[in-house]
Amino acid sequence: MKEKVRSIPAVHDIQKETRFQLLMEEIGEPSIFTKWLREETEKLRNSFLENSGPTLHSREEIKDYLLDRLQDKIYNFNEERLCRVINATGTILHTNLGRSNLSEAAAQKVLAAARHYSNLEYNITTGDRGSRHAVLEDIIKETTGAEAAMVVNNNAAAVYLVLKALTSNKEVIVSRGQLVEIGGSFRVSSIMEESGAKLVEVGTTNKTHRQDYEKAIGEETAMLMKVHKSNFKTIGFTQEVPLQELTEIAKENGDPLVYEDLGSGALYDFKQHGIGDEPTVKEALSSGADLVTFSGDKLLGGPQAGIIAGKKQWIDTLKKHQLARVLRVDKLTLAALEETLKSYFKGEDGLKEIPAVRMVLESQQTVTNRANKLLNGLRFSTWTSNLESDVSKVGGGTMPEVTLPTAVVSITTGTIPPATVVEKLRITCQPAIVTRAKDNKVWLDLRTVNGEEIEIITTSLHRLESELEK
Ligand SMILES: *Cc1c(COP(=O)(O)O)cnc(C)c1O
């Protein structure tokens, strides 16, 4: 054993090897290589001392082994961490896959904002300091009908800021039916506790009435809060008090704030096409609410952000709060959000620019055309493919009950279990293709796949078939 340990070459000897030199030339970061080589040498020494580890006979073999380990480490290190994924799940706002994709215009604007200086906090007219809160405020006001608005890191941050700044140590009344947990362990009750607001629950899980709020309102009440139930839907014997009525109750009972966490916050009226019953942000605000908050990367189709819109008096208080600095967004977010919001002013064509909105509105026929394009390009030798219909989901906690008729390409894989193909598509393909197995087939929903991705999917499937069925 001692002899084995002694035969481990010194790090500086390995560094003289041609193979080491070649790796350095290829990748080039000698300091980290030396560190890794030391770690691998140490690991091998310990495994020899414990009488475990690889069977290596000569000094040459050990040297090769260590260089192999180093090479693996280098290649792994250079693997992409945040990598592109093709979403063939049909879930449009897939939170695990990054929710909404940016429009081309938004992506270009991000690039420009990243490359150059900007007037992020600079007033170009006067040459004085400006405010980043001012950059998009007028566009948000125009899109939502709000008196004032600001943007923070995400909607969770928006909810927190509103509660912390406006209701700390005071009572906030919420219907029991709206005390939901929204994926990623964001709980309305917990965020309220964090903020220092005192939660006053009213009503029951399924029904909350006007009188429930009226009975609970008192001296200590700072706010009546309504929360979008997101992924959760109560059906059957249910009742909620509409926002409009909450504002009336507030007016007649000491005028506490009325705030709704809209969650997804549609800027476009999807209802008009029979898709869901999501109120637009404008509709929510026109009911007289003091404030609403919503995400930038759900139905809006922009970057991760939280938008707070409502009465100027309260937005001004929020902008001045210490937390506004903690939760502020960067220039890249503002750049993406600006172009996304501008698309809403360009009519039908503008809406089509925003991928998430386009995917929600796209007809089954358009999706079927893409599915046929994929089908027509597939040339399997043993597998077979078919066009099927199914339903896609909007996702991201929005419109949980809405199903969008879609077109799916299903693949029957013969002897290979579909789950294996699903796994391989995910792991071995560049980019990763995320899909699912259903009814003993591989199931690719084309609603969330764009035209350019069809060729990538085709190539990957062909390669997989020949690899797995050989
Ligand atoms: C999604 C959601 C949130 C959290 O929004 P993020 O932008 O993901 O932080 C908060 N409240 C509701 C009702 C939601 O649907």
Side-chain angles (χ1 to χ4, degrees):
M1 179 187 76
K2 285 232 174 70
E3 192 190 335
K4 253 179 134 177
V5 171
R6 262 200 305 277
S7 61
I8 297 177
V11 168
H12 61 259
D13 281 336
I14 301 177
Q15 285 176 317
K16 286 184 202 134
E17 290 286 313
T18 324
R19 223 180 121 193
F20 184 88
Q21 301 291 336
L22 285 174
L23 275 173
M24 257 185 12
E25 269 171 42
E26 193 184 331
I27 322 274
E29 180 42 64
S31 62
I32 201 164
F33 286 12
T34 310
K35 176 173 164 277
W36 286 346
L37 194 53
R38 234 178 240 128
E39 284 167 7
E40 290 303 324
T41 310
E42 196 54 35
K43 236 190 265 170
L44 188 65
R45 176 174 295 117
N46 289 337
S47 67
F48 283 166
L49 288 171
E50 286 164 11
N51 251 330
S52 58
T55 3
L56 301 166
H57 301 292
S58 65
R59 203 179 156 80
E60 269 320 296
E61 270 185 34
I62 294 179
K63 207 183 268 177
D64 279 342
Y65 171 84
L66 286 171
L67 281 163
D68 284 348
R69 295 288 72 74
L70 180 66
Q71 183 169 333
D72 285 353
K73 225 164 160 161
I74 290 166
Y75 287 162
N76 285 335
F77 189 76
N78 285 312
E79 281 275 302
E80 269 192 294
R81 302 300 196 279
L82 185 68
C83 59
R84 180 175 169 190
V85 164
I86 291 178
N87 174 7
T89 66
T91 300
I92 299 166
L93 300 168
H94 200 305
T95 298
N96 302 143
L97 303 183
R99 287 199 189 147
S100 48
N101 299 334
L102 295 181
S103 68
E104 188 49 37
Q108 290 301 329
K109 179 91 177 177
V110 169
L111 201 61
R115 283 192 169 142
H116 308 289
Y117 291 113
S118 59
N119 62 334
L120 180 62
E121 290 189 354
Y122 182 73
N123 184 326
I124 289 181
T125 323
T126 62
D128 297 327
R129 198 197 150 112
S131 162
R132 80 176 65 207
H133 296 311
V135 180
L136 297 186
E137 190 167 11
D138 65 326
I139 311 187
I140 302 172
K141 279 159 63 178
E142 227 35 82
T143 30
T144 61
E147 260 176 46
M150 68 185 287
V151 185
V152 290
N153 183 54
N154 55 14
N155 188 37
V159 176
Y160 182 61
L161 177 59
V162 166
L163 292 173
K164 180 90 186 169
L166 304 175
T167 69
S168 214
N169 295 318
K170 301 211 195 86
E171 290 177 1
V172 176
I173 302 178
V174 188
S175 157
R176 268 201 185 91
Q178 294 162 12
L179 287 172
V180 292
E181 173 172 316
I182 297 153
S185 69
F186 177 87
R187 278 188 183 172
V188 176
S189 49
S190 311
I191 205 85
M192 202 168 272
E193 203 176 306
E194 275 308 320
S195 75
K198 290 180 203 144
L199 170 63
V200 178
E201 298 176 34
V202 294
T204 59
T205 308
N206 57 330
K207 282 203 172 201
T208 305
H209 305 275
R210 185 186 180 112
Q211 309 87 277
D212 295 323
Y213 286 96
E214 285 171 340
K215 259 187 257 160
I217 292 189
E219 290 278 294
E220 291 299 305
T221 308
M223 176 185 279
L224 309 185
M225 180 183 182
K226 193 167 193 280
V227 185
H228 188 288
K229 289 205 282 283
S230 274
N231 287 315
F232 178 71
K233 186 145 182 103
T234 39
I235 51 167
F237 190 60
T238 64
Q239 186 173 327
E240 277 192 6
V241 179
L243 194 57
Q244 171 89 42
E245 210 174 323
L246 276 190
T247 64
E248 288 163 20
I249 297 168
K251 285 230 176 59
E252 293 160 15
N253 294 275
D255 210 17
L257 287 172
V258 176
Y259 157 52
E260 178 163 11
D261 172 17
L262 289 169
S264 49
L267 294 183
Y268 179 74
D269 186 10
F270 293 98
K271 294 191 293 301
Q272 64 182 304
H273 303 284
I275 302 171
D277 52 7
E278 199 73 27
T280 63
V281 176
K282 213 173 214 159
E283 284 164 353
L285 281 170
S286 70
S287 68
D290 292 285
L291 290 168
V292 298
T293 59
F294 52 98
S295 292
D297 56 355
K298 290 187 181 172
L299 285 177
L300 193 154
Q304 180 192 304
I307 298 172
I308 312 173
K311 306 246 163 83
K312 184 167 184 305
Q313 176 189 0
W314 308 116
I315 299 284
D316 283 347
T317 308
L318 298 177
K319 284 177 182 167
K320 284 190 216 116
H321 197 276
Q322 276 298 312
L323 271 180
R325 167 63 196 259
V326 176
L327 305 174
R328 78 182 187 185
V329 287
D330 73 330
K331 58 190 175 184
L332 304 184
T333 302
L334 291 175
L337 192 55
E338 174 175 348
E339 288 307 313
T340 309
L341 290 173
K342 280 181 176 166
S343 291
Y344 281 93
F345 295 94
K346 297 188 218 155
E348 287 276 312
D349 290 344
L351 288 173
K352 284 191 192 137
E353 289 172 2
I354 307 170
V357 177
R358 179 177 45 79
M359 286 186 238
V360 174
L361 295 178
E362 216 159 48
S363 70
Q364 189 179 24
Q365 187 53 55
T366 312
V367 184
T368 305
N369 294 344
R370 277 205 300 282
N372 275 322
K373 199 172 151 207
L374 174 60
L375 272 181
N376 293 337
L378 289 173
R379 299 275 176 276
F380 289 132
S381 48
T382 55
W383 294 358
T384 54
S385 50
N386 272 299
L387 178 68
E388 315 215 21
S389 40
D390 193 17
V391 288
S392 310
K393 292 238 161 204
V394 180
T398 71
M399 306 193 195
E401 79 286 17
V402 172
T403 48
L404 306 162
T406 192
V408 163
V409 169
S410 72
I411 295 164
T412 310
T413 48
T415 55
I416 308 292
T420 307
V421 178
V422 167
E423 186 190 335
K424 290 267 180 194
L425 282 171
R426 202 174 62 224
I427 295 173
T428 58
C429 298
Q430 295 279 356
I433 298 166
V434 178
T435 176
R436 66 203 156 102
K438 184 178 151 180
D439 301 338
N440 214 24
K441 293 171 199 164
V442 178
W443 208 250
L444 296 139
D445 188 330
L446 271 287
R447 181 172 291 276
T448 46
V449 173
N450 71 37
E452 296 146 41
E453 291 171 333
I454 289 174
E455 205 178 308
I456 305 176
I457 297 177
T458 309
T459 314
S460 298
L461 285 171
H462 288 162
R463 212 188 52 221
L464 263 189
E465 188 198 23
S466 57
E467 182 190 313
L468 294 170
E469 301 281 356
K470 67 179 166 232

